[in-house]
Coordinates of all heavy atoms in Angstrom, one line a residue:
L117 N 72.2 103.5 117.4 CA 71.4 104.8 117.4 C 69.9 104.5 117.3 O 69.5 103.6 116.5 CB 71.8 105.5 116.1 CG 72.6 106.8 116.2 CD1 74.0 106.4 116.2 CD2 72.3 107.6 115.0
I118 N 69.2 105.2 118.2 CA 67.7 105.1 118.1 C 67.2 106.6 117.9 O 67.5 107.4 118.7 CB 67.1 104.5 119.3 CG1 67.5 103.0 119.4 CG2 65.5 104.6 119.3 CD1 67.0 102.3 120.6
V119 N 66.5 106.8 116.8 CA 65.9 108.1 116.5 C 64.4 108.0 116.7 O 63.7 107.2 116.1 CB 66.2 108.5 115.1 CG1 65.5 109.9 114.8 CG2 67.7 108.5 114.8
C120 N 63.9 108.8 117.7 CA 62.5 108.8 118.0 C 61.8 109.8 117.0 O 62.3 110.9 116.8 CB 62.2 109.3 119.4 SG 62.9 108.2 120.6
L121 N 60.7 109.3 116.4 CA 60.0 110.2 115.4 C 58.8 110.8 116.2 O 57.7 110.2 116.3 CB 59.5 109.3 114.3 CG 60.6 108.7 113.5 CD1 60.1 107.6 112.5 CD2 61.4 109.8 112.7
G122 N 59.0 112.0 116.7 CA 57.9 112.7 117.4 C 58.0 112.6 118.9 O 58.8 111.8 119.5
R123 N 57.1 113.4 119.5 CA 57.1 113.6 121.0 C 56.7 112.3 121.7 O 57.3 112.0 122.7 CB 56.0 114.7 121.3 CG 55.6 114.8 122.7 CD 54.5 115.8 122.9 NE 53.3 115.5 122.1 CZ 52.4 114.6 122.4 NH1 52.4 114.0 123.6 NH2 51.3 114.4 121.6
I124 N 55.8 111.5 121.2 CA 55.3 110.4 122.0 C 56.4 109.3 122.1 O 56.6 108.8 123.2 CB 54.0 109.8 121.4 CG1 52.9 110.8 121.6 CG2 53.6 108.5 122.0 CD1 51.6 110.5 120.9
A125 N 57.1 109.0 121.0 CA 58.2 108.1 121.1 C 59.3 108.6 122.0 O 59.9 107.8 122.8 CB 58.7 107.8 119.7
A126 N 59.6 109.9 121.9 CA 60.6 110.5 122.7 C 60.2 110.4 124.2 O 61.1 110.2 125.1 CB 60.9 111.9 122.3
N127 N 58.9 110.7 124.5 CA 58.5 110.6 125.9 C 58.7 109.2 126.4 O 59.0 109.0 127.6 CB 57.0 111.0 126.0 CG 56.7 112.4 125.9 OD1 55.6 112.8 125.6 ND2 57.7 113.3 126.1
R128 N 58.5 108.2 125.6 CA 58.6 106.8 126.1 C 60.0 106.3 126.2 O 60.4 105.6 127.1 CB 57.8 106.0 125.1 CG 57.5 104.6 125.7 CD 56.6 104.7 126.9 NE 56.5 103.5 127.7 CZ 55.4 103.0 128.2 NH1 54.3 103.7 128.1 NH2 55.5 102.0 128.9
L129 N 60.9 106.8 125.2 CA 62.2 106.2 125.1 C 63.3 107.1 125.7 O 64.4 106.6 126.1 CB 62.5 105.8 123.7 CG 61.7 104.7 123.1 CD1 62.1 104.5 121.6 CD2 61.7 103.5 123.9
I130 N 63.1 108.4 125.7 CA 64.2 109.3 126.1 C 63.9 109.8 127.6 O 64.6 109.5 128.5 CB 64.4 110.5 125.2 CG1 64.8 109.9 123.8 CG2 65.5 111.4 125.7 CD1 65.0 111.0 122.7
H131 N 62.8 110.5 127.8 CA 62.3 110.8 129.1 C 60.9 111.3 129.0 O 60.5 111.8 128.0 CB 63.2 111.8 129.9 CG 63.3 113.2 129.3 ND1 62.4 114.2 129.5 CD2 64.3 113.8 128.5 CE1 62.7 115.3 128.8 NE2 63.9 115.0 128.2
D132 N 60.2 111.1 130.1 CA 58.7 111.2 130.0 C 58.2 112.7 129.9 O 57.0 112.8 129.8 CB 58.0 110.5 131.2 CG 58.4 111.0 132.6 OD1 59.2 112.0 132.7 OD2 58.0 110.4 133.6
D133 N 59.0 113.7 130.0 CA 58.5 115.0 129.8 C 59.2 115.7 128.7 O 59.5 116.9 128.6 CB 58.5 115.9 131.1 CG 59.9 116.1 131.6 OD1 60.8 115.4 131.2 OD2 60.1 117.0 132.5
Y134 N 59.6 114.9 127.7 CA 60.4 115.4 126.5 C 59.6 116.5 125.8 O 58.4 116.3 125.5 CB 60.7 114.2 125.6 CG 61.7 114.5 124.5 CD1 63.0 114.2 124.7 CD2 61.4 115.1 123.3 CE1 64.0 114.5 123.8 CE2 62.3 115.4 122.3 CZ 63.6 115.1 122.6 OH 64.6 115.3 121.6
K135 N 60.2 117.6 125.5 CA 59.6 118.7 124.7 C 60.2 118.7 123.3 O 61.3 119.2 123.2 CB 59.8 120.0 125.4 CG 59.4 120.0 126.9 CD 57.9 120.0 127.0 CE 57.5 120.1 128.5 NZ 56.5 119.2 128.9
I136 N 59.5 118.2 122.4 CA 60.0 118.0 121.0 C 60.4 119.4 120.4 O 61.5 119.4 119.7 CB 59.0 117.2 120.1 CG1 59.7 116.8 118.8 CG2 57.8 118.0 119.8 CD1 60.6 115.6 118.9
T137 N 59.7 120.4 120.7 CA 60.0 121.7 120.1 C 61.3 122.3 120.7 O 62.0 123.1 120.0 CB 58.9 122.7 120.3 OG1 58.6 122.8 121.7 CG2 57.6 122.3 119.5
R138 N 61.6 121.9 121.9 CA 62.8 122.4 122.5 C 64.0 121.5 122.5 O 65.2 121.9 122.4 CB 62.5 122.7 124.0 CG 63.3 123.9 124.6 CD 62.9 124.3 125.9 NE 62.6 123.2 126.9 CZ 61.5 123.0 127.6 NH1 60.5 123.9 127.4 NH2 61.3 122.0 128.4
E139 N 63.8 120.2 122.5 CA 64.8 119.2 122.6 C 65.2 118.4 121.4 O 66.1 117.6 121.4 CB 64.5 118.2 123.8 CG 64.3 118.9 125.1 CD 63.9 117.9 126.2 OE1 64.8 117.2 126.7 OE2 62.7 117.9 126.6
H140 N 64.4 118.6 120.3 CA 64.7 117.8 119.1 C 66.2 118.0 118.7 O 66.7 119.1 118.8 CB 63.8 118.1 117.9 CG 64.0 119.5 117.4 ND1 64.9 119.8 116.4 CD2 63.4 120.7 117.7 CE1 64.9 121.1 116.2 NE2 64.0 121.7 117.0
G141 N 66.8 116.9 118.2 CA 68.1 117.0 117.7 C 69.2 116.8 118.8 O 70.4 116.7 118.5
Q142 N 68.8 116.9 120.1 CA 69.8 116.7 121.2 C 70.0 115.2 121.4 O 69.1 114.4 121.2 CB 69.3 117.4 122.4 CG 69.1 118.9 122.3 CD 68.5 119.5 123.6 OE1 68.5 118.9 124.7 NE2 68.0 120.7 123.5
W143 N 71.2 114.9 121.8 CA 71.6 113.5 122.0 C 71.7 113.1 123.4 O 72.1 113.9 124.2 CB 72.9 113.2 121.3 CG 72.8 113.3 119.8 CD1 73.1 114.4 119.0 CD2 72.4 112.2 118.9 NE1 72.9 114.0 117.7 CE2 72.5 112.7 117.6 CE3 72.0 110.9 119.1 CZ2 72.1 112.0 116.5 CZ3 71.7 110.1 118.0 CH2 71.7 110.7 116.7
V144 N 71.2 111.9 123.7 CA 71.4 111.3 125.0 C 71.9 109.9 124.8 O 71.5 109.2 123.9 CB 70.0 111.1 125.7 CG1 70.0 110.4 127.0 CG2 69.3 112.5 125.9
E145 N 72.9 109.5 125.7 CA 73.4 108.2 125.6 C 73.0 107.4 126.8 O 73.1 107.9 127.9 CB 75.0 108.2 125.5 CG 75.5 106.8 125.2 CD 77.0 106.8 124.9 OE1 77.5 107.9 124.5 OE2 77.6 105.8 125.1
R146 N 72.5 106.1 126.6 CA 72.1 105.3 127.6 C 72.5 103.8 127.3 O 72.1 103.4 126.2 CB 70.6 105.4 127.8 CG 70.1 104.8 129.1 CD 68.6 105.1 129.3 NE 68.2 106.5 129.2 CZ 67.4 107.0 128.3 NH1 66.7 106.3 127.5 NH2 67.1 108.3 128.3
N147 N 73.2 103.2 128.2 CA 73.7 101.8 128.0 C 74.3 101.6 126.6 O 74.0 100.6 125.9 CB 72.5 100.9 128.1 CG 71.9 100.9 129.5 OD1 72.6 101.1 130.5 ND2 70.6 100.9 129.6
G148 N 75.1 102.5 126.2 CA 75.8 102.4 124.9 C 75.0 102.7 123.7 O 75.5 102.5 122.6
V149 N 73.8 103.2 123.8 CA 73.0 103.5 122.7 C 72.7 105.0 122.7 O 72.4 105.6 123.7 CB 71.6 102.8 122.8 CG1 70.7 103.2 121.6 CG2 71.8 101.3 122.8
C150 N 72.9 105.6 121.5 CA 72.7 107.1 121.4 C 71.2 107.3 120.9 O 70.8 106.7 120.0 CB 73.6 107.7 120.3 SG 75.3 107.5 120.7
Y151 N 70.5 108.2 121.6 CA 69.1 108.5 121.3 C 69.0 109.9 121.0 O 69.6 110.8 121.5 CB 68.2 108.3 122.6 CG 68.0 106.9 123.1 CD1 69.0 106.3 123.9 CD2 66.9 106.2 122.7 CE1 68.8 105.0 124.3 CE2 66.7 104.9 123.2 CZ 67.7 104.3 124.0 OH 67.5 103.0 124.4
T152 N 68.1 110.2 120.0 CA 67.7 111.6 119.7 C 66.3 111.5 119.2 O 65.7 110.4 119.0 CB 68.6 112.2 118.6 OG1 68.3 113.6 118.6 CG2 68.4 111.6 117.3
A153 N 65.7 112.7 119.0 CA 64.3 112.7 118.4 C 64.3 113.8 117.4 O 65.0 114.8 117.5 CB 63.3 113.0 119.5
I154 N 63.4 113.6 116.4 CA 63.1 114.6 115.4 C 61.6 114.7 115.3 O 60.9 113.9 115.8 CB 63.7 114.3 114.0 CG1 63.1 113.0 113.4 CG2 65.3 114.2 114.1 CD1 63.6 112.7 112.0
Y155 N 61.2 115.8 114.6 CA 59.7 115.9 114.4 C 59.2 114.8 113.7 O 59.8 114.2 112.7 CB 59.4 117.2 113.6 CG 59.6 118.5 114.4 CD1 60.6 119.4 114.1 CD2 58.8 118.8 115.5 CE1 60.8 120.6 114.8 CE2 59.0 120.0 116.2 CZ 60.0 120.8 115.9 OH 60.2 122.0 116.6
H156 N 58.0 114.4 114.0 CA 57.3 113.3 113.3 C 57.0 113.8 111.9 O 56.7 114.9 111.7 CB 56.0 112.9 114.0 CG 55.4 111.7 113.6 ND1 54.7 111.6 112.4 CD2 55.3 110.4 114.2 CE1 54.3 110.3 112.2 NE2 54.6 109.6 113.3
P157 N 57.1 112.9 110.9 CA 56.9 113.3 109.5 C 55.5 113.9 109.3 O 55.3 114.8 108.5 CB 57.0 112.0 108.7 CG 57.9 111.1 109.5 CD 57.6 111.5 111.0
A158 N 54.5 113.4 110.1 CA 53.1 114.0 109.9 C 53.1 115.5 110.4 O 52.4 116.3 109.8 CB 52.1 113.2 110.8
A159 N 53.9 115.8 111.4 CA 54.0 117.2 111.9 C 54.7 118.0 110.8 O 54.3 119.2 110.6 CB 54.8 117.3 113.1
L160 N 55.6 117.5 110.0 CA 56.2 118.2 108.9 C 55.3 118.5 107.8 O 55.4 119.5 107.1 CB 57.5 117.5 108.5 CG 58.6 117.4 109.5 CD1 59.7 116.5 109.0 CD2 59.1 118.7 110.0
L161 N 54.4 117.5 107.6 CA 53.4 117.7 106.5 C 52.4 118.8 106.9 O 52.0 119.6 106.1 CB 52.6 116.4 106.3 CG 53.4 115.3 105.6 CD1 52.6 114.0 105.5 CD2 53.8 115.7 104.1
R162 N 52.1 118.9 108.2 CA 51.1 119.9 108.7 C 51.8 121.3 108.8 O 51.2 122.3 108.6 CB 50.6 119.5 110.1 CG 49.6 118.4 110.1 CD 48.9 118.2 111.4 NE 49.9 118.0 112.5 CZ 50.3 116.8 112.9 NH1 49.9 115.7 112.3 NH2 51.2 116.7 113.9
D163 N 53.1 121.3 109.1 CA 53.8 122.6 109.3 C 55.2 122.5 108.6 O 56.2 122.2 109.3 CB 54.0 122.8 110.8 CG 54.7 124.1 111.1 OD1 55.0 124.9 110.2 OD2 54.9 124.5 112.3
P164 N 55.2 122.8 107.3 CA 56.5 122.7 106.6 C 57.5 123.7 107.1 O 58.7 123.5 106.9 CB 56.1 123.1 105.2 CG 54.6 122.8 105.1 CD 54.1 123.1 106.5
G165 N 57.2 124.6 107.9 CA 58.1 125.6 108.5 C 59.1 124.9 109.5 O 60.2 125.4 109.8
K166 N 58.8 123.7 109.9 CA 59.7 122.9 110.8 C 60.7 122.1 110.0 O 61.7 121.6 110.6 CB 58.9 121.9 111.6 CG 58.0 122.6 112.7 CD 57.3 121.5 113.5 CE 56.6 121.9 114.7 NZ 55.8 123.1 114.7
R167 N 60.6 122.1 108.7 CA 61.6 121.3 107.9 C 63.0 121.8 108.0 O 63.9 120.9 108.1 CB 61.1 121.3 106.4 CG 59.9 120.4 106.3 CD 59.5 120.2 104.8 NE 58.2 119.5 104.8 CZ 57.7 119.1 103.7 NH1 58.3 119.2 102.5 NH2 56.5 118.4 103.7
P168 N 63.3 123.1 108.0 CA 64.8 123.4 108.1 C 65.4 122.9 109.4 O 66.5 122.4 109.4 CB 64.7 125.0 108.1 CG 63.5 125.3 107.3 CD 62.5 124.2 107.7
E169 N 64.7 122.9 110.5 CA 65.2 122.4 111.8 C 65.4 120.9 111.6 O 66.4 120.3 112.1 CB 64.2 122.6 112.9 CG 64.0 124.0 113.3 CD 62.8 124.2 114.3 OE1 63.0 123.9 115.5 OE2 61.7 124.5 113.8
T170 N 64.5 120.2 111.0 CA 64.6 118.8 110.8 C 65.8 118.4 109.9 O 66.5 117.4 110.2 CB 63.3 118.2 110.2 OG1 62.2 118.5 111.1 CG2 63.4 116.7 110.0
F171 N 66.1 119.2 108.9 CA 67.2 118.9 108.0 C 68.5 119.1 108.8 O 69.5 118.4 108.6 CB 67.2 119.7 106.7 CG 66.1 119.2 105.8 CD1 65.0 119.9 105.5 CD2 66.3 117.9 105.2 CE1 64.0 119.4 104.6 CE2 65.3 117.4 104.4 CZ 64.2 118.1 104.1
A172 N 68.5 120.1 109.7 CA 69.7 120.2 110.6 C 69.8 119.0 111.5 O 71.0 118.5 111.7 CB 69.6 121.5 111.5
D173 N 68.7 118.5 112.0 CA 68.8 117.3 112.8 C 69.2 116.1 112.0 O 70.0 115.2 112.5 CB 67.4 117.0 113.4 CG 66.9 118.0 114.4 OD1 67.7 118.8 114.9 OD2 65.7 118.0 114.7
L174 N 68.8 116.0 110.8 CA 69.3 114.9 109.9 C 70.8 115.0 109.7 O 71.5 113.9 109.7 CB 68.6 114.9 108.6 CG 67.1 114.6 108.6 CD1 66.4 114.8 107.3 CD2 66.9 113.1 109.0
R175 N 71.3 116.1 109.5 CA 72.8 116.3 109.4 C 73.5 115.8 110.7 O 74.5 115.1 110.6 CB 73.2 117.7 109.1 CG 72.9 118.1 107.6 CD 73.5 119.4 107.2 NE 73.0 120.5 108.0 CZ 71.9 121.2 107.7 NH1 71.1 120.9 106.7 NH2 71.5 122.2 108.4

Side-chain angles (χ1 to χ4, degrees):
L117 249 85
I118 295 178
V119 179
C120 299
L121 299 169
R123 168 187 55 84
I124 291 171
N127 284 161
R128 196 65 195 221
L129 297 179
I130 300 176
H131 65 81
D132 61 5
D133 62 346
Y134 193 93
K135 306 291 186 225
I136 192 77
T137 55
R138 211 173 45 234
E139 297 178 76
H140 67 87
Q142 296 177 17
W143 291 94
V144 174
E145 188 173 335
R146 193 174 307 121
N147 300 322
V149 179
C150 298
Y151 291 83
T152 193
I154 64 174
Y155 288 112
H156 193 285
L160 298 175
L161 289 172
R162 288 189 303 271
D163 183 358
K166 289 179 168 48
R167 289 186 186 188
E169 296 170 80
T170 300
F171 287 112
D173 293 344
L174 291 171
R175 286 191 297 276

